[in-house]
Amino acid sequence: MSKSKRLLDLMMTVNRKRKFTVKELADEFNVSSRTILRDLQELGELGVPLYSEVGPHGGYQVLNERILPPIAFTEEEAVAIFFASHALRHYKYLPFKQESLSAQHKFYNYMSGDVRDRIDEMKNRIDFLTPVRQAEFPYLSLLLEAATGQKVLLIHYESKGQSKERWIQPVGIYAHNGLWYCPAYCFLRGDIRVFRCDRIRSAGYDSSGPAARDLRHVHLGNKEVYSSHAGQGDESLVRMWVELGHGGVQACEAELWSSPLLHIRADGTGWLEGEIQKSDLGFFARFAIGLCDEATVQEPPELVAEVKRTLTGMLARYK
């Protein structure tokens, strides 16, 4: 085996292992311990984060910031990956902002000159726009860490001008229309709720809080299924029906929350149907009003009344 191939295989091996000894690697590669030591030194000079431990149970270990082994991409794959990362530049806040910029910089600079020229020509020809928001999202990394680690957070959440303390266990985070959201199990409500991340004024771990629930089976794709009020006839729920014109259907298709409620007819019209929280009547009233004559609220009576009340307040502004 050539030295270059051995170094590449060795890099892949040490990235795969959590801990190893020189003898283990020497036996695996069928070379002397001295050769492995020289190879490990070269890997360290190439940037592989190794450190050694002395003693009878010592050996080598790779730090958490592992260096991935080289991967061969086609030109089309390289361009696609670059622009997938390039599209994130419109987000001022990301859970991995600096890492994304660093990876993009490395990826671009290690490409061949002709591929870089092609990317430069395409930069002003393709884009993935998102609205620019003034909101701040300082806790994205913490929320994502808690979601993947099944941990409970104590947050101060601002809603309707008031900041309240909540214990939550995040399910994940997602961006939509320039804002970040965090679906989480709310221990106060005993249910999965969606929190706007810019309304979280503080967040942290606190050992005095409730024990974490087993939410490993809950993720962004199925969070609605595990809502505790689903199908239980909760008194806080009302059934909604809103008739939609063609434009109303198109507007609802752009909303993430509408998927389980939206029904579309063959002619392109449709309707919203399903159970909603009474506390959300104001939101749905304003949404229906925004659709103008493309939406007609039929039920519940409480939502019809909320639409009338909101419109009356709006008209009063223009007297």
Side-chain angles (χ1 to χ4, degrees), residues 17-260:
K17 294 176 178 288
R18 293 183 61 86
K19 192 174 182 179
F20 52 88
T21 65
V22 171
K23 186 177 185 309
E24 289 171 352
L25 294 180
D27 291 342
E28 183 171 344
F29 284 87
N30 195 28
V31 295
S32 68
S33 296
R34 181 176 295 180
T35 298
I36 288 294
L37 284 170
R38 286 199 301 266
D39 289 348
L40 291 175
Q41 183 177 354
E42 289 194 38
L43 289 184
E45 293 171 353
L46 290 172
V48 178
L50 297 169
Y51 76 94
S52 60
E53 297 176 336
V54 297
H57 301 292
Y60 280 84
Q61 193 164 339
V62 183
L63 297 175
N64 289 333
E65 296 79 14
R66 297 184 179 185
I67 302 296
L68 295 177
I71 303 174
F73 294 106
T74 66
E75 180 177 328
E76 296 302 319
E77 290 171 338
V79 171
I81 292 173
F82 176 86
F83 278 102
S85 176
H86 185 63
L88 298 177
R89 74 192 187 283
H90 293 299
Y91 286 92
K92 182 179 178 181
Y93 291 89
L94 289 170
F96 36 76
K97 181 72 173 182
Q98 294 305 316
E99 293 82 356
S100 175
L101 291 174
S102 176
Q104 183 181 338
H105 179 74
K106 290 180 181 178
F107 203 72
Y108 177 82
N109 283 292
Y110 277 97
M111 289 180 185
S112 61
D114 58 328
V115 177
R116 289 201 302 270
D117 291 341
R118 183 182 175 195
I119 286 175
D120 291 339
E121 287 294 326
M122 294 177 65
K123 278 183 179 178
N124 296 321
R125 309 288 182 179
I126 182 173
D127 209 348
F128 305 86
L129 297 176
T130 189
V132 177
R133 302 282 189 173
Q134 298 301 313
E136 297 184 352
F137 308 92
Y139 301 107
L140 295 180
S141 295
L142 182 62
L143 293 168
L144 183 57
E145 176 187 277
T148 55
Q150 298 285 294
K151 298 177 182 178
V152 176
L153 292 175
L154 176 62
I155 68 171
H156 284 83
Y157 189 72
E158 187 173 293
S159 179
K160 299 179 180 179
Q162 296 181 335
S163 181
K164 297 181 179 179
E165 193 175 84
R166 298 279 189 96
W167 292 98
I168 66 169
Q169 184 173 336
V171 171
I173 58 174
Y174 64 85
H176 174 61
N177 203 25
L179 296 173
W180 283 91
Y181 298 86
C182 176
Y185 182 85
C186 176
F187 287 87
L188 176 64
R189 303 300 184 192
D191 197 2
I192 292 177
R193 297 296 175 88
V194 177
F195 297 87
R196 257 183 57 175
C197 297
D198 58 312
R199 294 178 179 172
I200 299 176
R201 300 309 180 202
S202 67
Y205 298 114
D206 190 321
S207 58
S208 65
R213 297 169 63 90
D214 185 1
L215 299 181
R216 287 173 295 180
H217 56 294
V218 185
H219 50 76
L220 296 182
N222 66 5
K223 61 186 185 299
E224 292 86 1
V225 177
Y226 293 96
S227 180
S228 62
H229 66 251
Q232 295 184 7
D234 193 315
E235 292 182 358
S236 67
L237 298 176
V238 290
R239 188 157 195 83
M240 178 181 69
W241 186 296
V242 181
E243 279 291 330
L244 301 170
H246 294 84
V249 168
Q250 293 174 7
C252 288
E253 287 179 321
E255 300 292 334
L256 293 178
W257 54 261
S258 72
S259 178

